[in-house]
Amino acid sequence: MKTKNLEEVKEALSAGADIIMLDNMPIETIKEALEIIKGRALTEVSGGINLENIRKIAETGVDFISIGSNYSFSSCFRYSPLYGIIFDLRIWVNNHANGNRKKGVDNRRD
């Protein structure tokens, strides 16, 4: 369920969401949302992600970070006439090292 503020996070939990997307939230709000969620749902962060903040976002303990097309990361990828530079990327954040192993999530290291 996509959420844009802490009230929507609470509503998503009440509705029994399995995955809660934290959309365009500042890092401090992401941390607050994770305190509210307390591992009862998987979490995904989307919007406002760039090379300067992706590590800090990952360190909050979220499960996934999504990066959409038309993004500042596109300069990191070569242009291909077959694929262009439009892409969607979902990063699984392995927080096993931080002790955040969640039930039902595969935390094997690749």
Side-chain angles (χ1 to χ4, degrees):
M1 185 174 282
K2 184 176 180 178
T3 63
K4 295 188 178 208
N5 57 54
L6 296 177
E7 190 60 39
E8 289 181 0
V9 168
K10 293 173 188 174
E11 290 173 15
L13 276 175
S14 295
D18 294 324
I19 301 174
I20 298 175
M21 177 185 282
L22 310 173
D23 189 38
N24 287 304
M25 291 185 185
I27 291 175
E28 289 306 314
T29 306
I30 292 169
K31 290 177 183 178
E32 289 179 55
L34 292 173
E35 281 296 313
I36 293 167
I37 296 166
K38 294 183 182 176
R40 293 179 282 173
L42 293 173
T43 53
E44 180 174 350
V45 172
S46 179
I49 299 161
N50 56 53
L51 292 173
E52 287 76 36
N53 67 10
I54 193 167
R55 178 178 292 277
K56 288 180 183 177
I57 291 170
E59 290 172 347
T60 65
V62 299
D63 298 298
F64 298 97
I65 299 173
S66 292
I67 302 166
S69 58
N70 299 333
Y71 214 75
S72 60
F73 287 104
S74 62
S75 62
C76 301
F77 296 89
R78 286 184 189 224
Y79 175 77
S80 165
L82 296 175
Y83 301 107
I85 59 170
I86 296 175
F87 66 96
D88 288 314
L89 178 64
R90 186 181 209 194
I91 301 167
W92 174 43
V93 181
N94 186 343
N95 286 306
H96 180 68
N98 297 332
N100 292 335
R101 187 178 187 121
K102 292 185 172 56
K103 183 178 180 182
V105 176
D106 184 0
N107 282 309
R108 290 177 290 163
R109 294 185 185 266
D110 295 346

